[in-house]
Amino acid sequence: MSSTPSQTDSIIVRGARVHNLKNIDFEVPHNTLTVVTGVSGSGKSSLAFDTIYAEGQRRYVESLSAYARQFLERIEKPDADTIDGIAPAVAIKQKNTTRNPRSTVATATEIYDYLRLLFARVGRTYCVNCSREVKKDTVDEVGEAILKLDPGTRLQVLFPLQRPGMASVQEPEKPARSKTKKASPREGQRGVSTLTDALKTRLFDLRKAGFNRLYQNGQIFEFSTPESLLDINFAEPVFVLVDRLTISHDARSRIVDAIETAYRESGEVIFEQHYSDETDTDARGGARATQNLRFAQRFECKSCNIRYEEPEPRLFSFNNPYGACPKCQGFGNTIDFDLDLVIPDKLKSLAEGAIEPWTKPKYRPLFTDLKRYAKAAGIPLDMAWIDLAEEHKNLVLNGEGKFLGVRGFFAHLERKKYKLHVRVFLSRYRGYSTCSDCNGSRLRMEARQVKIQGKNLCEICSLTVEDAQKFFDQVQLSPQEAEIADKVLEEIRERLRFLVEVGLEYLTLDRLSSTLSGGEAQRIQLATSLGSRLVGTLYVLDEPSIGLHARDTHRLVKILHDLRNLGNTILVVEHDSDIMRAADRILDLGPGAGENGGQLIAGGTYDEILHNPASLTGRYLSEDLRIQPPPLRRKPGPHQIKVQGIRANNIKNIDISIPLRMLVAITGVSGSGKSTLLHQVIYRALAQAKQQASNGNGAGLTTSATWESLEGDQYIDEAVLVDQSPIGRTPRSNPVTYIKAFDAIRELFASLPEAKKRGLSSGHFSFNIPGGRCEVCQGDGTVTVEMQFLADVELICEECKGTRYKPTVLEVRYKGRNIHEVLNLTVKEALKFFAEVPKITEKLRALEEVGLGYLRLGQSATTLSGGEAQRMKLAAHLQPATKDSTRAGGDKRRRLLYIFDEPTTGLHFDDVSKLLAAFRRLIEAGGSIVVIEHNLEVIKTADWVIDLGPEGGNRGGKIVGVGPPEAIAKLPGSYTGKYLSHVLNDHEKGSSNGRP
């Protein structure tokens, strides 16, 4: 054991009894990286989150307002004798709870806030009509421009009597609408009769201000009396003369005064430059040629008269009505015709009927028009839609001339929605589609016209983190702009660097937070925490290495060390040996799970844990215990799932074959396309094929992912996706209800004499329906209190005290326990308790076999991690596998293809071996398994490996290698092979060498 730190330097916990913790004492030194490890269910989360973090959060709330403190007496204090030295705590869990469609990678990391500020300060606005830069002309800039004219140049300084109508940036091609009534024939005449009341008032005010001359078409008019205005046509532009001057070195102050005067009166100034041309003079009898120089203090295009909004941070926010696209309100999509429904098969050519609605008999003429137009426009008719050039796709979609295009076709139908059959037809092609106004960028037109080095904010957000980092490292700004943007650029570069360091360089900045995996979401929070530069904080992390390839683990270690070196305490629940090796201190809990866990088996440095014989973790780290590769790997047979021509996200036209009746691992660095391949292609293709076989259509399975052909689907009965999505979203969902064992338990209680005496049916023992449940909390056991600006607080129901049931139901007991006490049993305890009821134990045994024996029967599904939820689904599938495997000959077994997404999440080395045993049972029962995995212990035991890469993002999506683990280990370009070779070599040599 390491030396005991002094009390002032540590978080000291004495007598911790939260959940299954057995009255343990432990210390977490401040400003260190401490790893909590142990088998699943040993009490790691109870120690890290339910004891240390919960106390830190409780003390934080205690420091808040009286409104918040009134709930303190109802917030449960962690069950421990003393907790001293606690620091302000931040918990970063592995769950991705973000469901907000407005949250993106950029907003979650605060990068977007700095980008908005950057564009507001140094962004340049360009006219949507003429592409010229739009800017305000300052007095000094105008003065400098005028003084550059040739000395002796004569100028007349003017400003418009009435400001001309300005066009809006949203409608540059339309003239501004006038609110005045239409001009009558008399109003086109000259004279005072054409003056409106507003003009009369304006002229009177100008006269009072000292102006007495008007200018029109080269003539100057006095307006001292009404009669002097008779020769002016007020239906045409009229200007007020400010001054007449000649350019010279002494004229600067006079020029500046004239500019300021014009700006004050109208916001713009016009310099009419007069110069003599001798040839014109002779021919025209002394006529003078003129040239106008126009400057404006307003933010508008000088040549197109289009007004723009001045850049400010809120203009670039899609969460603010001021900056959001008016059509989609900042969501980037609207309910419109869905291109995936209009063109369901993107591998079809236009000639083959890629535009599905135009294949209907009624709209065949439009199909003929399309072919005629395509020939004239040079659009290939025999090329697959996905391979067409973007300009050709746009022509087909938007139309040109007399050809309406797809959008024009649907716009035409929209005008006939009063007909029932038209509404029915339109409903077939409706869905959430990219907003046609902003093209999914979410921002209004003015914001999209502001650019830095040729890119607007939307284009920058569409870059990957890696590409954005390169852009901002190389961005060129003027000296003045660089000085303004220096601090903002520094913040943006730092945050992008943090994202790269946690292995997320392949994510685009506009990627929705809700689409991130739990590991990606956690590492984003980690990068954000590092960017906030907090000190003196306790960070509690839940397996940050989830979803991270072995190649990138050192990046995560660096981030954790950087956080520690800032002056923070890092407490990590982790199973990865590399993270343990980098830790300052390790706490190993055990020896078993549930009631058999909750003890501190060992505490100390990595080397001390390694040589501690009592530590199960240490025995695996020292190779005393190890997961052995199978002595004989299964070889691919003739039955395979083959998918050709796969194109989805970053996958670049690949073909793949998945052998059946074996364990196949899909590997590769983060972002290489593993999830896309399995979720969006393999699973969708098989599900669509099976659905089409059963009911003749694949409705609801349309996806942007494409594949040319699918073979081998006849060799399986069903594809089952076992992912890490929650098994339930309410506290009433729990393990015992998910595996269908609760029905048998309720029937057992309803059959008891006491229940019959009280007239209680099995429904009364359910907390999901009215009857026996507590109606105050509706069977949840907790009541949620809204805390306004703080996170909502869940408090135990005061009516039922968290039991969920009415008192009459709780009085019915089986073997001395009521229904609430039974639900508080762990799976392992319940197997003994219900040993005489095979109907219940058969279902519970599957949970024990996948390493979930420590879960309580009534534990809320909302408290389960992604890995636990995935193993719950695995247990549900193990039940029919057990039943089928006992059938004579096995000829009636269902042929299922199981797709797992990182099932080792949250698993200790010892639990991984249990998981692999469960996999073997599924395969022996006639199943096939495909698993996305980074864990080298699982990869080395696989029968077949498909390695994707070589990198993440745009540089991924290719097949690096295919074959057994030994073959992948020999591939020179495979990152997986590089680390896998060391693991396989270690087993061959029997050594305890670490990874490279």
Side-chain angles (χ1 to χ4, degrees), residues 949-991:
E951 298 287 346
N954 293 330
R955 290 182 290 170
K958 299 177 182 176
I959 295 179
V960 176
V962 174
E966 290 80 7
I968 300 298
K970 296 176 182 176
L971 288 175
S974 169
Y975 289 110
T976 303
K978 175 182 176 183
Y979 289 85
L980 191 57
S981 64
H982 283 72
V983 175
L984 292 173
N985 289 338
D986 286 349
H987 279 279
E988 290 175 6
K989 298 173 183 177
S991 67

Side-chain angles (χ1 to χ4, degrees), residues 636-637 639-641 657-662 664 928-930 944 946:
H639 292 178
Q640 298 189 4
I641 301 291
S657 296
I658 298 178
L660 298 177
R661 296 297 302 274
M662 60 197 305
V664 179
S928 306
I929 296 178
V930 184
W944 199 252
I946 300 173

Side-chain angles (χ1 to χ4, degrees), residues 554-823:
H554 71 279
R555 295 180 176 182
L556 176 62
V557 169
K558 184 179 184 303
I559 283 282
L560 296 176
H561 283 171
D562 286 348
L563 264 180
R564 177 199 63 187
N565 296 339
L566 280 173
N568 298 299
T569 304
I570 318 297
L571 186 62
V572 183
V573 175
E574 190 55 85
H575 298 291
D576 188 275
S577 59
D578 286 342
I579 307 292
M580 294 186 206
R581 192 176 290 112
D584 300 307
R585 184 176 175 82
I586 299 174
L587 299 176
D588 187 25
L589 299 183
E595 295 304 312
N596 295 325
Q599 299 177 39
L600 183 61
I601 302 301
T605 64
Y606 177 83
D607 289 334
E608 290 170 342
I609 298 294
L610 200 68
H611 298 99
N612 190 328
S615 170
L616 184 62
T617 303
R619 295 182 66 188
Y620 273 98
L621 292 175
S622 64
E623 300 287 337
D624 182 27
L625 292 175
R626 65 177 68 185
I627 298 172
Q628 297 288 353
L632 188 64
R633 299 191 193 276
R634 302 175 184 88
K635 294 184 179 179
H639 292 178
Q640 298 189 4
I641 301 291
K642 296 181 180 179
V643 187
Q644 296 181 327
I646 299 171
R647 307 175 195 186
N649 294 343
N650 65 332
I651 296 180
K652 302 172 176 67
N653 195 19
I654 65 173
D655 304 333
I656 201 156
S657 296
I658 298 178
L660 298 177
R661 296 297 302 274
M662 60 197 305
L663 175 58
V664 179
I666 308 291
T667 63
V669 297
S670 302
S672 58
K674 303 182 297 298
S675 296
T676 296
L677 177 66
L678 272 191
H679 291 248
Q680 295 189 27
V681 179
I682 304 296
Y683 176 68
R684 291 290 184 98
L686 290 170
Q688 194 174 61
K690 293 302 173 184
Q691 192 175 34
Q692 285 173 340
S694 60
N695 59 21
N697 65 70
L701 288 170
T702 303
T703 174
S704 56
T706 59
W707 55 90
E708 291 179 4
S709 64
L710 169 68
E711 299 176 17
D713 58 288
Q714 69 272 19
Y715 299 132
I716 66 168
D717 296 321
E718 185 184 354
V720 179
L721 180 62
V722 188
D723 59 10
Q724 296 188 20
S725 59
I727 61 171
R729 299 190 182 277
T730 69
R732 292 194 294 274
S733 179
N734 54 42
V736 77
T737 57
Y738 187 78
I739 61 169
K740 311 296 183 187
F742 197 36
D743 295 340
I745 293 173
R746 291 191 292 110
E747 289 171 3
L748 175 64
F749 269 87
S751 67
L752 296 174
E754 184 66 23
K756 291 179 179 180
K757 178 181 175 182
R758 296 172 180 269
L760 300 178
S761 65
S762 62
H764 285 86
F765 294 93
S766 170
F767 43 71
N768 287 316
I769 58 175
R773 73 179 184 184
C774 170
E775 291 302 328
V776 174
C777 62
Q778 295 187 329
D780 286 347
T782 59
V783 177
T784 301
V785 178
E786 294 184 3
M787 296 287 286
Q788 294 185 6
F789 298 108
L790 299 175
D792 294 345
V793 175
E794 279 196 356
L795 304 173
I796 294 175
C797 174
E798 291 185 331
E799 179 70 20
C800 66
K801 308 301 181 189
T803 63
R804 304 182 176 201
Y805 291 97
K806 294 177 180 177
T808 54
V809 175
L810 295 175
E811 289 174 4
V812 179
R813 294 180 177 270
Y814 173 72
K815 290 187 178 181
R817 294 181 187 267
N818 61 30
I819 186 70
H820 169 66
E821 292 166 341
V822 164
L823 291 175

Side-chain angles (χ1 to χ4, degrees), residues 356-368 425 428:
E356 201 272 341
W358 291 351
T359 61
K360 308 299 181 190
K362 184 174 181 179
Y363 300 109
R364 278 281 179 181
L366 288 168
F367 184 46
T368 305
F425 180 81
R428 296 177 187 170

Side-chain angles (χ1 to χ4, degrees), residues 846-857:
L847 289 175
E848 169 73 9
E849 290 171 354
V850 296
L852 295 178
Y854 61 90
L855 289 183
R856 300 193 179 276
L857 300 185

